[in-house]
Amino acid sequence: MMQGLVTCVLILGLVSPCFCRWNVATKHSYHVMNNVGTKNTFNMMNYGAHGDGISDDSQALLTAWKSTCEAQGEATLVIPPNQTFMVKDINLSGPCTATNIDIQIQGKIVAPDMGSWGRDKLTLITISNVNGLTIEGTEGLIDGHGSTWWKNCPTCTRPKLLSFHACNNLVVSYLKIMNSPRAHISVNGCENVTFSHININAPSDSPNTDGIDISASKNIFIRDSTIATGDDCIAINGGSSFINATRVACGPGHGISIGSLGKNGAHEIVEEIYVQNCSFTNTTNGARIKTWPGGSGYARKITFEEITLVGAGNPIIIDQYYGTNSPKFF
């Protein structure tokens, strides 16, 4: 049973083994203005984008991506400043010929209204099977316009904003993302990923708007970021290991959570989680582990240290009866 197999370490203000030995990808950031006019720089506006926030610019982004992905050597995709691009159901997929790709989000990307989403309603932008990718937000923003979803469809399947699948050696920095109908960022099947200076924002009463969801991934580093949502700031799910969150300001939200794990009797494992120098302000939880009864597997080698809690309802909570009305274990 999952409830018999949870082991963890919750340390506040103590020393633990250094997480920096883990092999997490890092890159130096280059501003697109230094690349304007070069052969391998591809600007959405040159592919028929309107940038008025009303017209559907999905095809322009997809066509610009195709040119970027098929370029020789390093390539840059530009989403230019002072423009607003409405897109939907985007899939930027690889593998690519380009050795390294830099996406510069300098303008604003917005989701359509609730009635204009595609049939599947899964994700606004999915990036899959692209290795060596850098995304720089600079002055850019992704806005999911989730308020109509939260109000009119609180229990239905709502879309995420940005999903990464099977992307290794990924670096995302200075990205602002807000008001997702559901989770803001999803990471699945990825290795060696760095998120830094990420700003995620949604109202405290917005349902299931997780900041960053991680599953089946390894060597994920989240640092120097602010996450304010209506659900988990960071959720670390089954198959994930060597996850580091450092200097993350969480709140409002449900804290940094391991799980939930073991739903419907599933066998799931999570290990080597290190949360350091993070703050939780007006959150329902701080350090949290949640498992369903009847599942199997383990959650182990989990460290929270140098944690600041202000107005947190459950500073430390281990809930081994998640999804039931049974008492919680603290």
Side-chain angles (χ1 to χ4, degrees):
M1 300 291 284
M2 180 67 74
Q3 55 262 42
L5 293 171
V6 176
T7 61
C8 66
V9 179
L10 298 174
I11 305 176
L12 304 183
L14 301 181
V15 177
S16 69
C18 179
F19 192 90
C20 59
R21 67 183 184 277
W22 300 348
N23 181 27
V24 180
T26 58
K27 289 186 178 181
H28 184 70
S29 173
Y30 292 94
H31 290 292
V32 69
M33 296 307 294
N34 295 327
N35 295 317
V36 171
T38 62
K39 179 180 179 181
N40 284 350
T41 296
F42 305 93
N43 190 311
M44 270 187 68
M45 296 303 292
N46 296 330
Y47 291 85
H50 297 82
D52 57 13
I54 301 172
S55 305
D56 188 349
D57 286 328
S58 301
Q59 190 57 52
L61 178 54
L62 289 169
T63 307
W65 169 257
K66 186 174 185 293
S67 296
T68 306
C69 185
E70 294 177 351
Q72 299 295 320
E74 297 183 352
T76 300
L77 171 61
V78 181
I79 299 170
N82 305 316
Q83 307 285 341
T84 300
F85 302 94
M86 192 276 285
V87 302
K88 58 185 178 181
D89 302 321
I90 294 292
N91 188 355
L92 307 181
S93 61
C96 293
T97 304
T99 54
N100 291 287
I101 293 176
D102 184 11
I103 299 178
Q104 293 277 348
I105 305 177
Q106 297 187 334
K108 185 176 182 179
I109 296 174
V110 298
D113 60 47
M114 179 178 168
S116 300
W117 277 78
R119 184 175 180 180
D120 292 335
K121 301 183 180 70
L122 295 178
T123 307
L124 183 69
I125 300 174
T126 299
I127 302 177
S128 59
N129 298 293
V130 181
N131 296 329
L133 174 65
T134 297
I135 298 177
E136 297 176 85
T138 56
E139 298 301 318
L141 169 69
I142 302 176
D143 189 342
H145 292 311
S147 59
T148 55
W149 288 92
W150 310 328
K151 179 181 178 180
N152 300 315
C153 195
T155 60
C156 68
T157 301
R158 288 168 281 122
K160 305 173 184 178
L161 274 193
L162 181 60
S163 292
F164 298 98
H165 174 70
C167 294
N168 300 328
N169 302 317
L170 167 70
V171 176
V172 183
S173 62
Y174 294 97
L175 180 64
K176 298 177 182 178
I177 184 168
M178 62 187 294
N179 297 329
S180 177
R182 192 163 51 122
H184 287 77
I185 297 175
S186 174
V187 180
N188 173 261
C190 299
E191 291 192 17
N192 300 328
V193 178
T194 298
F195 292 97
S196 67
H197 301 94
I198 306 299
N199 189 318
I200 298 174
N201 193 279
S204 60
D205 59 351
S206 56
N208 304 116
T209 52
D210 289 1
I212 301 177
D213 283 347
I214 302 168
S215 62
S217 296
K218 183 177 182 179
N219 289 342
I220 311 298
F221 190 21
I222 304 167
R223 64 178 178 85
D224 300 309
S225 297
T226 300
I227 304 175
T229 70
D231 209 302
D232 293 329
C233 296
I234 301 171
I236 303 167
N237 297 296
S240 298
S241 60
F242 296 95
I243 312 299
N244 179 317
T246 301
R247 297 183 301 277
V248 174
C250 173
H254 293 180
I256 294 180
S257 297
I258 312 301
S260 63
L261 305 175
K263 186 176 183 179
N264 297 323
H267 178 86
E268 295 184 297
I269 62 174
V270 169
E271 61 182 339
E272 298 287 359
I273 311 301
Y274 188 66
V275 180
Q276 181 188 32
N277 195 15
C278 294
S279 64
F280 300 87
T281 304
N282 298 324
T283 56
T284 56
N285 309 291
R288 185 187 192 193
I289 300 175
K290 46 184 177 176
T291 63
W292 292 77
S296 63
Y298 54 79
R300 66 186 184 187
K301 298 181 181 179
I302 298 166
T303 300
F304 286 72
E305 69 174 4
E306 299 179 49
I307 300 302
T308 300
L309 299 150
V310 179
N314 301 305
I316 301 172
I317 177 169
I318 301 175
D319 181 0
Q320 297 178 283
Y321 289 86
Y322 184 73
T324 73
N325 294 322
S326 299
K328 309 297 189 289
F329 292 82
F330 299 87

